[in-house]
Coordinates of all heavy atoms in Angstrom, one line a residue:
R19 N -34.3 54.1 -10.4 CA -33.4 55.1 -10.9 C -32.3 55.4 -9.9 O -31.2 55.6 -10.3 CB -34.2 56.5 -11.0 CG -35.1 56.5 -12.2 CD -35.7 57.9 -12.3 NE -36.6 58.0 -13.5 CZ -37.2 59.2 -13.7 NH1 -37.1 60.2 -12.9 NH2 -38.0 59.3 -14.8
S20 N -32.6 55.4 -8.6 CA -31.7 56.0 -7.7 C -30.8 55.0 -6.9 O -30.0 55.4 -6.0 CB -32.4 57.0 -6.7 OG -33.1 57.9 -7.4
Y21 N -31.1 53.7 -7.1 CA -30.3 52.7 -6.5 C -29.8 51.7 -7.6 O -30.4 51.6 -8.6 CB -31.3 51.9 -5.5 CG -31.8 52.7 -4.4 CD1 -32.9 53.6 -4.7 CD2 -31.4 52.6 -3.1 CE1 -33.5 54.4 -3.7 CE2 -32.0 53.4 -2.1 CZ -33.0 54.3 -2.4 OH -33.6 55.0 -1.4
N22 N -28.7 51.1 -7.2 CA -28.1 50.2 -8.3 C -28.7 48.8 -8.2 O -28.1 47.8 -7.9 CB -26.6 50.1 -8.0 CG -25.9 49.4 -9.2 OD1 -26.4 49.2 -10.3 ND2 -24.7 48.8 -8.9
Y23 N -30.2 48.8 -8.3 CA -30.8 47.5 -8.1 C -31.3 46.8 -9.3 O -31.9 45.7 -9.2 CB -32.1 47.9 -7.3 CG -31.9 48.2 -5.8 CD1 -32.9 48.9 -5.1 CD2 -30.8 47.9 -5.1 CE1 -32.7 49.2 -3.7 CE2 -30.6 48.1 -3.8 CZ -31.5 48.8 -3.1 OH -31.4 49.1 -1.8
I24 N -31.0 47.4 -10.5 CA -31.5 46.8 -11.7 C -30.4 46.2 -12.6 O -29.4 46.9 -12.8 CB -32.3 47.9 -12.6 CG1 -33.5 48.5 -11.7 CG2 -32.8 47.2 -13.9 CD1 -34.5 47.5 -11.3
D25 N -30.6 45.0 -13.1 CA -29.7 44.5 -14.0 C -30.2 44.8 -15.5 O -31.1 44.4 -16.0 CB -29.8 42.9 -13.9 CG -28.9 42.1 -14.8 OD1 -28.3 42.8 -15.7 OD2 -28.7 40.9 -14.7
E26 N -29.4 45.8 -16.0 CA -29.7 46.4 -17.2 C -29.7 45.4 -18.4 O -30.2 45.7 -19.5 CB -29.0 47.6 -17.6 CG -29.0 48.7 -16.5 CD -30.5 49.4 -16.5 OE1 -31.2 49.1 -17.5 OE2 -30.8 50.2 -15.6
S27 N -29.0 44.3 -18.2 CA -28.9 43.3 -19.3 C -30.1 42.5 -19.5 O -30.3 41.8 -20.6 CB -27.7 42.4 -19.0 OG -28.0 41.5 -17.9
V28 N -31.1 42.5 -18.6 CA -32.3 41.7 -18.8 C -33.3 42.5 -19.6 O -33.7 43.6 -19.4 CB -32.9 41.5 -17.3 CG1 -34.3 40.8 -17.5 CG2 -32.0 40.7 -16.4
S29 N -33.6 41.8 -20.7 CA -34.6 42.3 -21.7 C -36.1 42.2 -21.2 O -36.3 41.2 -20.6 CB -34.5 41.6 -23.0 OG -35.4 42.1 -23.9
Y30 N -36.9 43.2 -21.5 CA -38.2 43.1 -21.0 C -39.2 43.7 -22.1 O -40.4 43.5 -22.0 CB -38.4 44.0 -19.8 CG -38.2 45.5 -20.0 CD1 -39.3 46.3 -20.3 CD2 -36.9 46.0 -19.8 CE1 -39.0 47.6 -20.5 CE2 -36.7 47.3 -20.1 CZ -37.7 48.2 -20.4 OH -37.5 49.6 -20.5
K31 N -38.7 44.4 -23.2 CA -39.5 45.0 -24.2 C -40.4 44.1 -25.0 O -41.5 44.4 -25.4 CB -38.7 45.9 -25.0 CG -38.1 47.1 -24.3 CD -37.4 48.1 -25.2 CE -36.7 49.1 -24.4 NZ -36.0 50.1 -25.2
S32 N -40.0 42.8 -25.1 CA -40.8 41.8 -25.9 C -42.0 41.4 -25.1 O -42.9 40.9 -25.8 CB -39.9 40.5 -26.1 OG -39.5 39.9 -24.8
Y33 N -42.2 41.8 -23.8 CA -43.3 41.4 -23.1 C -44.5 42.4 -23.2 O -45.6 42.2 -22.7 CB -43.0 41.2 -21.6 CG -42.2 39.9 -21.4 CD1 -41.0 40.1 -20.5 CD2 -42.5 38.7 -22.0 CE1 -40.2 38.9 -20.3 CE2 -41.7 37.6 -21.7 CZ -40.5 37.7 -20.8 OH -39.7 36.6 -20.7
I34 N -44.1 43.6 -23.8 CA -45.1 44.7 -23.7 C -46.4 44.3 -24.4 O -47.5 44.6 -23.9 CB -44.5 46.0 -24.3 CG1 -43.3 46.5 -23.5 CG2 -45.5 47.0 -24.6 CD1 -42.5 47.7 -24.1
K35 N -46.3 43.6 -25.5 CA -47.5 43.2 -26.3 C -48.4 42.3 -25.6 O -49.6 42.1 -25.9 CB -47.1 42.6 -27.6 CG -46.3 41.2 -27.5 CD -46.0 40.7 -28.8 CE -45.3 39.3 -28.8 NZ -44.0 39.3 -28.0
I36 N -48.1 41.6 -24.5 CA -48.9 40.7 -23.7 C -49.5 41.3 -22.5 O -50.2 40.6 -21.8 CB -48.1 39.4 -23.3 CG1 -46.9 39.8 -22.5 CG2 -47.6 38.7 -24.6 CD1 -47.0 39.8 -21.1
I37 N -49.4 42.6 -22.4 CA -50.0 43.2 -21.1 C -51.6 43.1 -21.2 O -52.2 42.7 -20.2 CB -49.6 44.7 -21.0 CG1 -48.1 44.8 -20.6 CG2 -50.5 45.4 -20.0 CD1 -47.6 46.1 -20.5
K38 N -52.2 43.4 -22.2 CA -53.7 43.3 -22.3 C -54.1 41.9 -22.2 O -55.1 41.6 -21.4 CB -54.2 44.0 -23.5 CG -54.2 45.5 -23.5 CD -54.9 46.1 -24.7 CE -54.8 47.6 -24.6 NZ -55.3 48.3 -23.5
P39 N -53.5 40.9 -22.9 CA -54.0 39.5 -22.6 C -53.7 39.1 -21.2 O -54.6 38.3 -20.7 CB -53.1 38.7 -23.6 CG -52.7 39.7 -24.7 CD -52.7 41.0 -24.0
M40 N -52.7 39.6 -20.5 CA -52.5 39.2 -19.1 C -53.5 39.7 -18.3 O -54.0 39.1 -17.3 CB -51.1 39.7 -18.7 CG -50.7 39.3 -17.3 SD -50.7 37.5 -17.0 CE -49.3 37.0 -18.0
E41 N -53.9 41.0 -18.4 CA -55.0 41.6 -17.7 C -56.3 40.8 -17.9 O -57.0 40.6 -16.9 CB -55.2 43.1 -18.2 CG -54.1 44.0 -17.7 CD -54.3 45.4 -18.2 OE1 -55.1 45.6 -19.2 OE2 -53.8 46.4 -17.6
K42 N -56.6 40.4 -19.1 CA -57.7 39.5 -19.3 C -57.6 38.2 -18.5 O -58.7 37.8 -17.9 CB -57.8 39.2 -20.8 CG -59.1 38.6 -21.2 CD -59.2 38.3 -22.8 CE -60.5 37.6 -23.2 NZ -60.5 37.4 -24.6
A43 N -56.5 37.6 -18.5 CA -56.3 36.4 -17.7 C -56.5 36.6 -16.2 O -57.2 35.8 -15.5 CB -54.9 35.7 -18.0
L44 N -56.0 37.8 -15.7 CA -56.2 38.0 -14.3 C -57.6 38.3 -13.9 O -58.0 37.9 -12.8 CB -55.4 39.3 -13.9 CG -53.8 39.1 -13.8 CD1 -53.1 40.5 -13.7 CD2 -53.4 38.3 -12.7

């Protein structure tokens, strides 16, 4: 939030659905 460290053009929301499968793989 407080630093200009994030590229807001990078999409990430499409990855939300793979969180649980990723935890299973880990």
